[in-house]
Amino acid sequence: MGLSQRLVNWARIKSPWITLFNSGACNACDIEVIAALTPRFDVERFGILAQGSPRHADILIVTGPVTKKQAPRLRRIWEQMPEPKYVIAMGACGASGGVFRGLYHVVDGVENVIPVDVFVAGCPPRPDEIINAVVACLGLVKEDLAHGGKEWRQKKPTVIPRVETPPKEVTA
Ligand code: SF4
């Protein structure tokens, strides 16, 4: 592997860029993702940056069940992302449709539209659980780079279980 590719791989692991897409969520999951980006949780200290454009993002975070209207948009956004790309499905809705499961206007979980790499449990998941999911995603990136791509694993998503005890309050 050449020096330039090693540099790209290093940057990919050290500074993943994420983009958020609401595919029909109640907004609570989105608020938690935004909270993870605020100075209180400060994900930027890990190099995690929010990106407006999917064309520049490494990780797509999808909130909510996928409505029939949003399904083609979600697919298009995913297709616009450069490889290697990763998907995190947020909460009960992202996994299975949650409280909206089976309704006339949804196709239920995100995996019915695009492949998912990491599921985050909760309704909604807390910011620390979202950070945990991004870290799990980085673990997958490292493994994939070591294996020369994503093909070695059969799209088996990682499930992040709920953390029962909330972390201690951070005092300034
Ligand atoms: S998982 Fe819960 S908080 Fe998240 S979109 Fe669904 S209902 Fe809302």
Side-chain angles (χ1 to χ4, degrees):
M1 189 186 298
L3 177 65
S4 58
Q5 189 55 49
R6 287 217 309 272
L7 270 174
V8 168
N9 292 350
W10 172 82
R12 205 178 284 288
I13 293 165
K14 293 294 178 188
S15 183
W17 291 7
I18 59 170
T19 194
L20 173 67
F21 182 70
N22 181 330
S23 61
C26 72
N27 282 346
C29 278
D30 302 85
I31 289 168
E32 297 299 326
V33 175
I34 307 275
L37 295 166
T38 59
R40 182 178 171 81
F41 292 93
D42 194 16
V43 287
E44 284 198 15
R45 72 197 139 126
F46 303 122
I48 301 168
L49 289 183
Q51 262 303 314
S53 168
R55 293 179 192 276
H56 299 153
D58 305 300
I59 299 173
L60 171 64
I61 299 182
V62 187
T63 61
V66 186
T67 62
K68 286 182 179 162
K69 222 169 191 180
Q70 289 286 62
R73 290 167 191 155
L74 172 60
R75 183 83 199 177
R76 204 172 315 135
I77 282 172
W78 179 76
E79 282 168 356
Q80 286 174 354
M81 290 173 67
E83 288 284 1
K85 52 193 168 195
Y86 294 81
V87 176
I88 297 175
M90 282 279 286
C93 290
S96 67
V99 290
F100 305 101
R101 184 178 172 82
L103 291 184
Y104 69 96
H105 67 299
V106 295
V107 297
D108 297 335
V110 176
E111 211 169 30
N112 291 330
V113 183
I114 55 174
V116 175
D117 298 283
V118 177
F119 288 105
V120 198
C123 181
R126 295 190 311 268
D128 56 292
E129 292 172 314
I130 297 163
I131 295 170
N132 206 16
V134 176
V135 171
C137 226
L138 290 181
L140 291 178
V141 176
K142 268 189 207 165
E143 285 185 62
D144 291 349
L145 288 175
H147 286 84
K150 296 168 85 176
E151 293 71 31
W152 70 279
R153 63 184 164 97
Q154 293 219 324
K155 283 312 241 176
K156 281 209 174 130
T158 304
V159 179
I160 306 288
R162 285 232 82 176
V163 180
E164 290 308 328
T165 324
K168 282 187 186 156
E169 285 287 307
V170 179
T171 48

